[in-house]
Amino acid sequence: MTTQPLQLPNTAHDVARWVHQNLGRRANRETKQIIAEYLGEWLRVRNRLVVDIAQHEAAGGRPYLLDEQGAPWPLERGNPQTRLILHGLGLNGSEPAFLYVLEHLAMTALESGKKLRLARWHTIRNGIIYTSAGPHHVVRTGPDGIPVLVANGTDDVLFAADATIPKWEPADPVRPSEVAALCPPLEPPVEVPAYRPAVQEAFLQCWFAGLVAGIRPLPILGLIGDCDGGKTTTARAIARALRGPDAGVATLGTRNPLGDLGATLTARPLAALDNLDAEVPGEIGDLLAATATGANIESRQLYTDSTLLSRPAIAAVAVTSRTAAFAARADISERVLPLFTCQIRDTKRVADDMLMGEVDTNRDGLLSWAVIAASAMLAEATNAPSGLPCRFQGFARLFWAREALRGTPDNADPALRALRAAQAISVTDGDPLLAAIATHFDQITGSGGTWQGMAKELARDLDAAGASLPYLGGGKAVARRLREGRRALGLVGLTLTESRQGNNTVFFLGRTP
């Protein structure tokens, strides 16, 4: 028979001693039940059992256990910090009673623990930017634009301890343009000369500030160019600035790419995918498009059951690519912020370890600059005009605010229009029919007015204009491609409509007014 539990309250040391005594007597079900109930009550009255209702909604939320400094860790066997906390209370992970107690604590949390929405990585509430800095601290940047290191849980903003940016502290701000690895050699695409390197650099800085501050949704950052353009270096530098020296870029897996990417998008603040040169499978494309505008990702808890777990896709996405084939769909391309890199001259090359060392040295300064810049832009963005030419109105307003703070708000509209034109390049380049229309539109209309006819006639006219199209199938197949590319054509300033005339479908192509 076990002894009676100690009267509450007790220190963790007292609890551990009592648990050791009872486990040493007999590891039967009665002992497990008494230990589980006592630990559950001891933790509950100290408000150390909470439930994140933003996750696993169908199950009532995801249970967490707070450590002595107030950081919440998942109440799961696989989490080493949870095992460490329970070890401090006298329960070793190898004990037969461990799983029994763990399950009881999870159920106690779901039944009587505090229900809340845990923050992950970074969040913005009431105009204040909260950026995690390790499991126990947060950098709070208020309307005054001054970042201050505070305890996790300040202002009732509590970060899940397993979803925090590695420790950093406010420091003198360092602009990304002052760090070589974050300054890839940029060039405008031939088709859009207005998308100048200075414009692309401004967009990159704006995106980086939004990444660190937790402004969502953000467009997919697409670093596009041939080899030796610094694409991977820039993506790796962004990852290291955000998550420290252990962070880097990854390739899309081959065994379970959809599942691996889904896990990354729900468990990391940044998914940096390297060398995404092939056209991605439809499911991957759908996931990238949905993530860029906010989505929840559902997956089975175990392969042997039907329990679905639902978690928000919180990651921003950065992709490096030579061909931009990953964006060869209008719904993806309009969600991409393309940066076009050019080859680095030999005289400009710097050793990779030196580039990354500079990022590591200036990490606190880079993150400080980002939250300060984001705070100022968020405040100014309330004055932004509506209807800016961009799929991401939040990001467009942020960019307008950046220009307004520099005294050049009129620069925002032409820059965003140049961005929209640059987005179309990846789609038209990835689809021979759309590329041919964009290139030969004036030839097939004669005077640059309008074109009308059946789908098979369009293919014939484009070939006559010198497009040299591959075989696209019959008229129905061409018509389907046209309908799927309607939005992409809009990005290059063309309007596609259709009407039924007798037994035929007639398409109309014209310049957007």
Side-chain angles (χ1 to χ4, degrees):
M1 179 66 68
T2 59
T3 62
Q4 292 298 313
L6 300 169
Q7 296 298 312
L8 298 175
N10 303 294
T11 66
H13 177 75
D14 291 335
V15 173
R17 183 173 57 186
W18 180 85
V19 169
H20 284 150
Q21 290 174 350
N22 282 268
L23 285 175
R25 293 173 180 270
R26 189 176 182 184
N28 56 18
R29 191 179 191 282
E30 180 184 8
T31 300
K32 296 176 184 177
Q33 183 69 23
I34 291 176
I35 291 174
E37 289 181 354
Y38 181 59
L39 287 179
E41 181 65 9
W42 190 86
L43 291 166
R44 186 191 67 80
V45 299
R46 286 161 175 77
N47 297 316
R48 290 179 61 179
L49 296 175
V50 300
V51 178
D52 181 13
I53 58 176
Q55 301 185 67
H56 305 183
E57 294 181 13
R62 188 183 187 191
Y64 279 78
L65 171 64
L66 273 63
D67 63 23
E68 292 187 352
Q69 290 77 42
W73 300 92
L75 249 172
E76 297 165 0
R77 184 184 186 183
N79 189 276
Q81 291 298 322
T82 293
R83 293 166 65 92
L84 182 62
I85 295 169
L86 294 180
H87 179 79
L89 295 175
L91 193 63
N92 190 287
S94 64
E95 295 280 356
F98 184 84
L99 289 181
Y100 186 99
V101 173
L102 193 67
E103 177 68 10
H104 180 84
L105 295 180
M107 294 304 102
T108 301
L110 289 170
E111 290 175 356
S112 55
K114 184 178 180 180
K115 308 296 192 297
L116 43 74
R117 291 185 179 273
L118 292 178
R120 298 170 64 80
W121 308 105
H122 31 216
T123 189
I124 301 173
R125 299 187 185 177
N126 300 320
I128 299 174
I129 297 172
Y130 298 88
T131 310
S132 59
H136 301 112
H137 293 92
V138 174
V139 173
R140 180 187 188 275
T141 309
D144 59 3
I146 300 175
V148 179
L149 190 69
V150 298
N152 189 6
T154 297
D155 300 338
D156 291 327
V157 178
L158 186 63
F159 282 86
D162 63 330
T164 60
I165 295 171
K167 186 177 179 180
W168 66 283
E169 297 182 0
D172 292 336
V174 176
R175 287 180 170 274
S177 58
E178 299 174 37
V179 177
L182 294 171
C183 299
L186 300 171
E187 64 179 359
V190 175
E191 302 89 336
V192 192
Y195 200 53
R196 305 185 313 277
V199 172
Q200 297 181 54
E201 182 182 337
F203 278 124
L204 173 58
Q205 292 190 15
C206 192
W207 188 91
F208 182 74
L211 166 72
V212 176
I215 297 172
R216 299 292 185 275
L218 282 178
I220 299 168
L221 182 67
L223 294 154
I224 303 166
D226 290 331
C227 295
D228 295 329
K231 303 184 302 297
T232 300
T233 296
T234 301
R236 184 182 297 119
I238 291 171
R240 282 176 82 122
L242 185 66
R243 295 188 51 236
D246 293 334
V249 297
T251 56
L252 199 61
T254 56
R255 296 186 61 183
N256 182 23
L258 186 64
D260 293 344
L261 180 58
T264 299
L265 293 173
T266 59
R268 292 284 185 268
L270 173 68
L273 304 177
D274 198 25
N275 295 323
L276 202 60
D277 294 320
E279 185 174 349
V280 300
E283 298 86 352
I284 298 294
D286 293 340
L287 184 56
L288 288 174
T291 299
T293 47
N296 273 18
I297 295 177
E298 292 187 344
S299 60
R300 283 185 295 169
Q301 184 172 14
L302 297 172
Y303 287 106
T304 55
D305 65 26
S306 59
T307 302
L308 286 177
L309 302 181
S310 178
R311 298 182 181 178
I314 55 178
V317 180
V319 172
T320 73
S321 177
R322 290 183 294 105
T323 63
F326 74 94
R329 285 172 35 178
D331 60 334
I332 298 178
S333 70
E334 66 183 6
R335 291 169 166 85
V336 173
L337 172 61
L339 302 181
F340 297 94
T341 66
C342 57
Q343 194 172 52
I344 300 173
R345 297 177 182 176
D346 288 341
T347 56
K348 298 289 186 180
R349 293 185 186 279
V350 180
D352 190 70
D353 58 345
M354 293 180 63
L355 291 170
M356 294 303 114
E358 185 183 19
V359 173
D360 297 341
T361 299
N362 291 285
R363 180 170 175 262
D364 286 358
L366 286 166
L367 298 182
S368 298
W369 174 88
V371 295
I372 293 170
S375 178
M377 286 189 285
L378 283 173
E380 183 64 29
T382 58
N383 301 317
S386 59
L388 291 168
C390 184
R391 172 69 174 78
F392 287 83
Q393 282 297 297
F395 181 73
R397 292 168 67 86
L398 203 68
F399 182 76
W400 180 93
R402 176 192 183 275
E403 295 302 312
L405 290 168
R406 296 163 62 90
T408 57
D410 291 342
N411 288 350
D413 191 88
L416 289 167
R417 292 188 184 279
L419 166 61
R420 172 172 283 182
Q423 289 173 327
I425 294 173
S426 59
V427 182
T428 56
D429 281 354
D431 188 301
L433 176 61
L434 301 183
I437 294 172
T439 303
H440 299 284
F441 178 79
D442 288 339
Q443 289 98 311
I444 64 175
T445 60
S447 61
T450 60
W451 179 94
Q452 70 178 67
M454 293 185 293
K456 62 181 180 181
E457 294 172 337
L458 175 61
R460 181 198 63 199
D461 289 352
L462 287 169
D463 267 335
S468 300
L469 286 170
Y471 178 66
L472 301 175
K476 290 185 178 180
V478 176
R480 185 181 67 253
R481 279 177 175 263
L482 284 172
R483 295 184 181 107
E484 291 175 348
R486 191 190 311 271
R487 290 162 65 187
L489 291 171
L491 291 175
V492 294
L494 298 178
T495 300
L496 174 71
T497 58
E498 62 182 277
S499 68
R500 194 72 177 173
Q501 296 183 6
N503 294 326
N504 298 320
T505 299
V506 176
F507 290 91
F508 300 84
L509 276 168
R511 294 286 183 190
T512 303

